[in-house]
Amino acid sequence: MGIFPVWMLFIMCFICSSFQFNPVDNYLIDCGSSKNTSVGTRVFMADNSSPITLMSPQTIFVNTTSKPNTATTDSAVYPSAVVFGGTSNYTFPIKKQGGHWIRLYFYPLNHESRNLSTARFSVSAQSFTLLKDFRPPSVPVVKEYVLNITSNSLVLNFIPYKDSFAFVNALEVISIPDELIPNSAKTFSPSGEQDNLWKHALEKVARVNMGNRVVNPENDSLWRHWDSDFSFLKHGNLVKFVENVRAVNYTGFSTNDIAPPSVYGTATQLDTESDPNTRTNMTWLFEVDPGFNYFVRFHFCDIVSPQPNQMFFNVYINSLSVVRDFDLSKQTSNILRSPCYIDFIARSSNSRNLNITIGPSEAYNAYPNGILNGLEIMKISDSKGSLDFGDTIVQSSTSKLKSWTIIGSIVVVIFVALVLALVLFIIWRRRKLAHANHAVQDQFGNKGRKSTDGIATISSSKIGYSFPLAVIKEATKNFNDGLIIGVGGFGKVYMGVLRDETKVAVKRGVPHSQQGFSEFETEIEMLSQFRHRHLVSLIGYCDEQNEMIIVYEYMDNGTLKNHLYGSDLPKLNWRQRLEICIGSAKGLHYLHTGSTKAIIHRDVKSANILLDENLMAKVADFGLSKNGPEIDHTHVSTAVKGSFGYLDPEYLIRQQLTEKSDVYSFGVVMLEILSGRPVIDPSQPRETVNLVEWAIKGLSPGELEKLVDPFLAQEIKPESLKTFGEIAEKCLAERGVDRPTMGEILWKLECALQLEGICVRPRLNTQPSNSHFEDSVLSTQYSVGSDIDGVSMSKVFSNMVRTDMR
Ligand SMILES: *[C@@H]1O[C@H](CO)[C@@H](O)[C@H](O)[C@H]1NC(C)=O
Ligand SMILES: *[C@@H]1O[C@H](CO)[C@@H](O)[C@H](O)[C@H]1NC(C)=O
Ligand SMILES: *[C@@H]1O[C@H](CO)[C@@H](O)[C@H](O)[C@H]1NC(C)=O
Ligand SMILES: *[C@@H]1O[C@H](CO)[C@@H](O)[C@H](O)[C@H]1NC(C)=O
Ligand SMILES: *[C@@H]1O[C@H](CO)[C@@H](O)[C@H](O)[C@H]1NC(C)=O
Ligand SMILES: *[C@@H]1O[C@H](CO)[C@@H](O)[C@H](O)[C@H]1NC(C)=O
Ligand SMILES: *[C@@H]1O[C@H](CO)[C@@H](O)[C@H](O)[C@H]1NC(C)=O
Ligand SMILES: *[C@@H]1O[C@H](CO)[C@@H](O)[C@H](O)[C@H]1NC(C)=O
Ligand SMILES: *[C@@H]1O[C@H](CO)[C@@H](O)[C@H](O)[C@H]1NC(C)=O
C-alpha cells in the first residue's frame, strides 16, 4: 500500500520538473465560483477553498452559464465573478519572495442584478497602482503584471470609484523564475543602463509571437499567451512567415522558461526573395502610453540559415538603431538554431507608438535578410509607482499650475480635464481593441504547410487576422455609403481606416448567399496562402454575425480599368502600361508556379488589377480561384465561371480549365491596355464592337497601329509595339497548348519594355531567341522561384562573395 503514493509522487515530480516550471507560490482563483474550474492543465480554485483571505465590506458572487468566445482556453473562468461594493482586498501568503506574475481576468458578464459594464475601480498591490479608474471593456481581458514581492504576503486592493463598484473574474499570483526579468538593461538616448528594474512593477503591453502564430498558455511553461504578430506588422507584403519548431535547440543562451519552442520555432523574415535588391525594413507598430519607459525583449532563433554566419541585420526601436550589423551566430557561439534574446529599455517619449524595426545590414556584403521570432514589451511603473497614464499627466500639469495666474490656471484645468477625458477615452478604446484582439480565433490556423525537420521549410501559407465586427464598423464609419469605392457581384467595397491609420479596403459580401460564402472562403484561403508584391495582400477578415467581410491593403489608385477608360483619370503612358502589364504578369506567374499545385485565377480582367500609390499592379479578387490540374491536363470543371469578354473559348466549349485560361484572359487585358477601350464597346462600329474579334484580325503586321490608343500613338516605338502585339496574339491562341506560359509572357514583356526589343540579362548566360516562346531554358529558369528576377543566381552570387571574404 505504501509504495503506491511514493510512486505517484515520483511521477508527479518528474512531470513537474521536466515539462513545466514549478512555481513555489501558485494561486489560481476562479472568483465568485463555488467549484474548482479547469483551464487547460491547471485548476482555478473556488473562491472559498484556498488559504487566501478576502476582506470586503460588501461582496456578491455572480455567475451566468454563458461563456464568452475567446481564442484561449481561459473562457471557463469568465462566467463567474465577485463584485465588491466597497474597498476590498485579497491577501495571499507568499512563501518565496521575489518576482511574481499577477494576472487579473475581467469580463463584464451579463447578470440580471447588476450591469458589470458600469463598474469603475482601481487596483493596487504593495505600493503600486496597477489599474486606475478602470472601466472594463465588453470583451474578456487579462491584465498581467510582474511584481517583486518583498514581504510574506501580497495584498491586492480593489478600490471602487465612488458610487460604483469593482469586480474580478479570476486571479493568478505565481512565482516566476528569478532569471526571467533582469535587474538592469541597456538604454539608448541617453545611453547607459537602467538599474533597479526590480524596484518597479511591470505591466505587459505586448507579447507577440512572430511567424503569425498564436501561442496559447498551454504551450508556454509560464502560461503566457503570445499574440500573433500579423496585426502589428506595418506592411504585410515584404515579409514571410517561417516555421520550424522542431529545429529549436536550447544551448543556454535562452531557456524554455524565457520563451517556449513554439515561440522560437516560428519567425517573421524579410522577404527579399522576389527582389534581392529591395532594401526594406520590417516594422511592427505598438500603441503605448506616452511618458513611460518600456522594457523590450527581442527573441531570436535562426531557424532559416543553412549554416552559421549568414544572418546579419539591424535592430531599431523607434527608428533608433539599438544593434547594428547584429550577427545572430556570434550571439549564440556559432550554434545555429539556438534561441537567444536581447533586452532594452526604451526611454519614455511623447509618442503613442513604439515601433520595432528589423532591417537589412549593409555590412559584410550580406544578403539582405533579417528575422525576429518573438517580442515582449512591458511598461515600467513610473517614479510614483503607478502604471496609470492618467497619473502621469495630472502630476506634470499640476506641478506647473502653482506658478501660474488664476486665469491661466483655469484654462489649464479645463485643458487638463479635456486631456484627461481624451486619455481615458483613448485608454478605454485601446483596451477594448486590445481585448478584441485577444479574442481572435484563427479558424484557418491549420491550413499552413507543416514544417518537416532539417532545414526550415518556408510556410508560405499564413492566416489572415480575424477582425471583430466592431473594429470594421469603426473603420468604415458603420459602412458609410460615402466610403464605398466599388460595387461588384460579391457586394460593396469600402475604404476604411484602422486605428493605426492604415488605410484598408473592406469588401462586404451580401449576407446569406451560399454561393457567396464559398467564394468568401476560397478568397481568404487563397490570399492567406499566397503573398507576393503583385498580389493584393489580405489584412484580415470578419465572419461575425454571418458577415462575410474581407479586409485588404488599400490600393490608392484603384482599378486598372478606371485608368484605361470610362473615367476622368489622367491617361497612363506606354511605359506605365507596360510596367503594369509586367507587374500583373508576375502576380499571375507566381500563382501558377508559386506552389506545387498551380492556382488558376479564373477572373483575370482589368477591373481585377489594382494599382497602388506608385501605380504598381497587384492582382486581386480570388473568389473564383481554383487549384489547377494536378497530373493530367484534362480537368473538367463543373460550371463555367468568369467574366464575359475575357473567357477562354476553349474553356467555354470544352470546360477544360488550365492555367492557359488565365493566359487568354491576360491577352484580353493586354488588348485593353493597348487600345484603352472596353472589351465590348457597343458604341463602336459593328465590326469593332468586340475588341478581341477585331484585334485578331488587326494583329497582322501593318494593321496593329489601328488598335493603339490614340493617346499613345506617337509614343510607342514600333519594335516595342510589335513585340507586345505578338505576345497578345499568342495569348489569344484558340488552343491552350498554343498559348505561352505566364513566365514566357513575362520575359517578352520585359523585352518590350526595353523598347528596342533587346533583352539585357547579364546574369543568365543564355541568349534567348527573340521570336520563339518555346524556349526550354527559360521555362526552367522561371519555374524555380516565386519571381523571376534572377533571384537564385544573385543569391548564389552574394553567397560566393561572402565565402570569398572569409
Ligand atoms: C451560481 O450562483 C448560485 C447562487 O447565486 C449558486 O447556487 C451556484 O452554485 C453558482 N454556480 C457556480 C458554478 O458557481
Ligand atoms: C478544489 O481543489 C482543492 C485542491 O485540490 C480542494 O482542496 C478543494 O476541496 C476543491 N474544492 C471544491 C469545491 O471542489
Ligand atoms: C483589507 O480590507 C479590509 C476591509 O475592507 C480592511 O479593514 C483592511 O484594513 C484591509 N487590509 C489592508 C492590508 O489593506
Ligand atoms: C526583489 O527585491 C529585493 C529587494 O529590492 C531584491 O533583494 C531581490 O533581489 C529582488 N528579487 C527579484 C527576483 O526581483
Ligand atoms: C450595461 O452598461 C453598458 C455601459 O453603460 C451599456 O452599454 C449596456 O447597454 C448595459 N447593459 C445592460 C444589459 O443594461
Ligand atoms: C544542439 O546544439 C549542440 C551544440 O552545438 C549540439 O551538440 C547538439 O547536437 C544540438 N542538438 C540537436 C538536437 O541538434
Ligand atoms: C501546443 O500544445 C498542444 C497540446 O498540449 C500540442 O499538441 C501542440 O503540439 C503544441 N504546439 C506546439 C507548437 O508546441
Ligand atoms: C512609428 O510609426 C508610425 C507610423 O509609421 C509613425 O507615425 C510614428 O511617428 C513612429 N513613431 C516613432 C517613435 O518612430
Ligand atoms: C530602416 O529603418 C531605419 C530606422 O527608421 C532607417 O534608418 C533605415 O534607413 C531603414 N532602412 C530601409 C532600407 O528602409
Side-chain angles (χ1 to χ4, degrees):
M1 284 294 281
I3 285 172
F4 188 65
V6 173
W7 175 76
M8 282 287 283
L9 205 68
F10 175 73
I11 292 287
M12 279 175 70
C13 286
F14 178 73
I15 288 173
C16 292
S17 60
S18 61
F19 294 116
Q20 205 95 77
F21 168 73
N22 191 14
V24 179
D25 297 312
N26 189 8
Y27 298 111
L28 309 174
I29 317 294
D30 185 7
C31 304
S33 174
S34 54
K35 60 179 181 21
N36 292 342
T37 305
S38 296
V39 172
T41 54
R42 301 191 295 164
V43 177
F44 281 66
M45 303 285 183
D47 234 339
N48 51 9
S49 65
S50 43
I52 295 148
T53 49
L54 168 59
M55 302 210 342
S56 173
Q58 188 200 353
T59 55
I60 49 171
F61 286 14
V62 296
N63 64 43
T64 60
T65 46
S66 58
K67 288 182 191 173
N69 240 335
T70 63
T72 50
T73 45
D74 60 17
S75 63
V77 302
Y78 292 113
S80 68
V82 54
V83 178
F84 308 111
T87 298
S88 309
N89 52 48
Y90 273 104
T91 304
F92 300 85
I94 296 296
K95 292 189 218 97
K96 179 173 178 280
Q97 296 185 12
H100 286 72
W101 296 127
I102 297 179
R103 296 198 179 103
L104 308 175
Y105 293 70
F106 299 108
Y107 172 60
L109 54 94
N110 215 338
H111 193 257
E112 58 275 13
S113 71
R114 216 176 261 254
N115 183 351
L116 296 193
S117 292
T118 61
R120 193 172 166 194
F121 54 96
S122 301
V123 180
S124 67
Q126 294 196 137
S127 53
F128 298 105
T129 304
L130 305 184
L131 281 172
K132 185 145 182 209
D133 267 349
F134 177 64
R135 292 168 212 234
S138 57
V139 290
V141 39
V142 183
K143 292 273 169 191
E144 185 182 293
Y145 306 88
V146 173
L147 225 65
N148 178 0
I149 299 178
T150 49
S151 72
N152 296 329
S153 65
L154 170 72
V155 179
L156 207 53
N157 298 297
F158 289 84
I159 308 134
Y161 198 74
K162 81 174 158 41
D163 300 333
S164 189
F165 57 94
F167 76 91
V168 63
N169 301 72
L171 289 171
E172 291 183 36
V173 175
I174 305 181
S175 307
I176 57 173
D178 288 341
E179 69 273 14
L180 193 65
I181 307 287
N183 192 27
S184 64
K186 216 165 170 185
T187 64
F188 288 84
S189 95
S191 57
E193 296 256 324
Q194 172 167 342
D195 298 324
N196 289 328
L197 259 184
W198 289 340
K199 294 221 160 74
H200 291 268
L202 304 180
E203 179 187 354
K204 183 196 95 172
V205 174
R207 178 175 296 127
V208 185
N209 180 31
M210 309 300 155
N212 194 16
R213 287 261 184 268
V214 171
V215 174
N216 281 317
E218 291 71 51
N219 287 67
D220 182 298
S221 60
L222 300 177
W223 304 282
R224 288 163 293 204
H225 176 90
W226 300 72
D227 284 314
S228 145
D229 67 320
F230 190 83
S231 55
F232 301 100
L233 264 172
K234 193 166 159 200
H235 299 295
N237 50 349
L238 289 171
V239 304
K240 60 187 172 194
F241 303 117
V242 294
E243 180 170 345
N244 192 359
V245 178
R246 270 194 266 168
V248 175
N249 181 2
Y250 290 96
T251 56
F253 304 98
S254 178
T255 66
N256 192 59
D257 289 339
I258 303 275
S262 37
V263 170
Y264 284 118
T266 62
T268 298
Q269 191 189 1
L270 274 175
D271 187 3
T272 44
E273 207 124 309
S274 59
D275 184 359
N277 301 315
T278 20
R279 296 231 147 234
T280 172
N281 283 331
M282 48 186 183
T283 296
W284 294 263
L285 304 181
F286 298 91
E287 278 186 42
V288 294
D289 292 331
F292 286 91
N293 292 344
Y294 289 88
F295 176 76
V296 181
R297 172 168 288 174
F298 295 83
H299 295 277
F300 297 105
C301 181
D302 186 351
I303 54 170
V304 293
S305 302
Q307 56 210 13
N309 294 307
Q310 292 207 334
M311 185 72 86
F312 306 95
F313 51 87
N314 298 330
V315 182
Y316 310 85
I317 300 177
N318 284 341
S319 303
L320 200 76
S321 170
V322 297
V323 198
R324 191 157 277 291
D325 309 324
F326 186 52
D327 180 357
L328 258 187
S329 301
K330 213 171 263 168
Q331 192 77 12
T332 60
S333 309
N334 279 353
I335 306 173
L336 210 59
R337 324 242 185 278
S338 171
C340 62
Y341 63 94
I342 47 177
D343 295 335
F344 297 103
I345 307 279
R347 289 281 187 192
S348 71
S349 73
N350 295 325
S351 170
R352 298 213 300 115
N353 281 310
L354 190 84
N355 301 350
I356 300 295
T357 302
I358 300 285
S361 157
E362 309 276 337
Y364 318 115
N365 201 6
Y367 186 82
N369 210 344
I371 195 171
L372 185 60
N373 303 62
L375 183 78
E376 290 174 276
I377 300 176
M378 303 195 95
K379 189 202 257 183
I380 302 172
S381 61
D382 62 16
S383 54
K384 297 276 186 337
S386 179
L387 284 160
D388 187 77
F389 180 29
D391 275 3
T392 327
I393 291 283
V394 175
Q395 280 154 19
S396 57
S397 321
T398 44
S399 59
K400 280 180 201 145
L401 261 180
K402 289 171 194 157
S403 58
W404 286 20
T405 65
I406 291 171
I407 293 168
S409 60
I410 289 170
V411 172
V412 169
V413 166
I414 293 169
F415 176 75
V416 166
L418 283 177
V419 167
L420 210 66
L422 185 72
V423 160
L424 283 170
F425 181 61
I426 288 165
I427 291 178
W428 174 75
R429 294 267 299 262
R430 212 163 43 81
R431 281 180 179 149
K432 199 166 154 188
L433 183 70
H435 309 320
N437 284 355
H438 228 240
V440 165
Q441 295 227 292
D442 54 27
Q443 63 195 90
F444 297 91
N446 294 327
K447 299 225 162 119
R449 251 184 282 153
K450 281 274 170 320
S451 67
T452 50
D453 40 9
I455 302 266
T457 47
I458 309 304
S459 154
S460 64
S461 106
K462 57 232 44 143
I463 322 131
Y465 164 61
S466 154
F467 279 89
L469 186 57
V471 172
I472 307 255
K473 281 191 171 161
E474 187 193 311
T476 58
K477 306 213 172 95
N478 206 5
F479 302 109
N480 188 323
D481 282 350
L483 295 174
I484 293 178
I485 49 174
V487 181
F490 181 87
K492 292 176 181 155
V493 184
Y494 299 82
M495 201 268 276
V497 181
L498 297 181
R499 187 134 337 131
D500 65 359
E501 280 157 21
T502 317
K503 274 195 200 166
V504 292
V506 175
K507 185 160 91 172
R508 187 189 196 196
V510 186
H512 306 302
S513 87
Q514 195 47 47
Q515 180 59 48
F517 188 72
S518 73
E519 288 181 15
F520 171 73
E521 278 194 309
T522 310
E523 175 139 33
I524 293 171
E525 203 180 312
M526 292 293 166
L527 282 172
S528 9
Q529 280 181 59
F530 296 97
R531 270 172 205 274
H532 189 271
R533 42 200 276 131
H534 294 291
L535 299 181
V536 76
S537 303
L538 174 74
I539 293 181
Y541 64 91
C542 169
D543 56 0
E544 255 173 57
Q545 296 175 18
N546 288 329
E547 291 279 358
M548 295 185 288
I549 295 171
I550 305 186
V551 183
Y552 310 90
E553 65 179 316
Y554 181 77
M555 301 289 280
D556 287 273
N557 274 311
T559 67
L560 167 62
K561 185 178 167 198
N562 277 347
H563 287 263
L564 292 175
Y565 48 83
S567 78
D568 312 329
L569 294 169
K571 291 272 189 185
L572 300 168
N573 65 33
W574 180 235
R575 192 181 174 86
Q576 287 168 329
R577 292 187 200 201
L578 268 180
E579 280 173 350
I580 289 166
C581 227
I582 290 172
S584 25
K586 282 183 180 171
L588 287 173
H589 173 64
Y590 173 70
L591 271 186
H592 290 174
T593 61
S595 78
T596 48
K597 257 196 205 166
I599 302 297
I600 302 168
H601 184 284
R602 293 220 293 172
D603 203 9
V604 177
K605 55 180 178 183
S606 54
N608 281 343
I609 292 170
L610 303 181
L611 304 176
D612 75 0
E613 72 270 24
N614 303 317
L615 292 174
M616 186 169 92
K618 300 199 182 198
V619 179
D621 211 331
F622 298 83
L624 294 180
S625 306
K626 258 205 156 71
N627 284 329
E630 292 180 76
I631 311 154
D632 58 342
H633 280 247
T634 55
H635 179 88
V636 176
S637 70
T638 43
V640 171
K641 282 185 185 163
S643 293
F644 185 63
Y646 295 86
L647 268 180
D648 169 12
E650 193 177 46
Y651 169 48
L652 208 59
I653 296 160
R654 315 239 302 268
Q655 306 205 351
Q656 259 181 30
L657 187 65
T658 69
E659 299 95 300
K660 297 295 177 69
S661 303
D662 281 353
V663 171
Y664 181 90
S665 310
F666 186 77
V668 180
V669 173
M670 287 180 71
L671 291 182
E672 283 183 274
I673 289 178
L674 183 65
S675 63
R677 53 155 278 183
V679 188
I680 308 289
D681 188 352
S683 68
Q684 295 283 335
R686 203 169 175 282
E687 63 275 21
T688 65
V689 165
N690 185 323
L691 177 62
V692 179
E693 276 176 20
W694 178 44
I696 289 186
K697 286 180 224 138
L699 284 170
S700 50
E703 297 281 298
L704 193 55
E705 284 75 12
K706 288 188 195 161
L707 276 177
V708 177
D709 188 339
F711 176 80
L712 297 174
Q714 303 308 313
E715 208 187 327
I716 311 182
K717 291 242 174 85
E719 297 87 346
S720 175
L721 176 62
K722 182 161 166 277
T723 313
F724 194 86
E726 277 174 13
I727 310 168
E729 189 180 9
K730 291 266 187 189
C731 290
L732 296 170
E734 210 159 298
R735 284 156 24 111
V737 290
D738 297 332
R739 296 176 205 148
T741 65
M742 283 320 294
E744 289 161 349
I745 293 167
L746 200 39
W747 179 275
K748 289 299 254 180
L749 280 173
E750 291 195 326
C751 294
L753 185 60
Q754 310 268 337
L755 288 179
E756 318 303 332
I758 299 165
C759 307
V760 188
R761 285 259 164 186
R763 284 183 195 136
L764 299 174
N765 290 326
T766 41
Q767 184 62 47
S769 63
N770 263 353
S771 52
H772 276 281
F773 283 113
E774 286 73 33
D775 190 326
S776 59
V777 178
L778 297 184
S779 358
T780 47
Q781 285 288 354
Y782 287 153
S783 59
V784 288
S786 58
D787 211 330
I788 70 144
D789 291 324
V791 173
S792 39
M793 292 312 278
S794 62
K795 212 167 183 177
V796 169
F797 183 69
S798 81
N799 279 348
M800 268 163 28
V801 172
R802 240 181 292 154
T803 325
D804 288 350
M805 287 178 53
R806 268 181 256 128

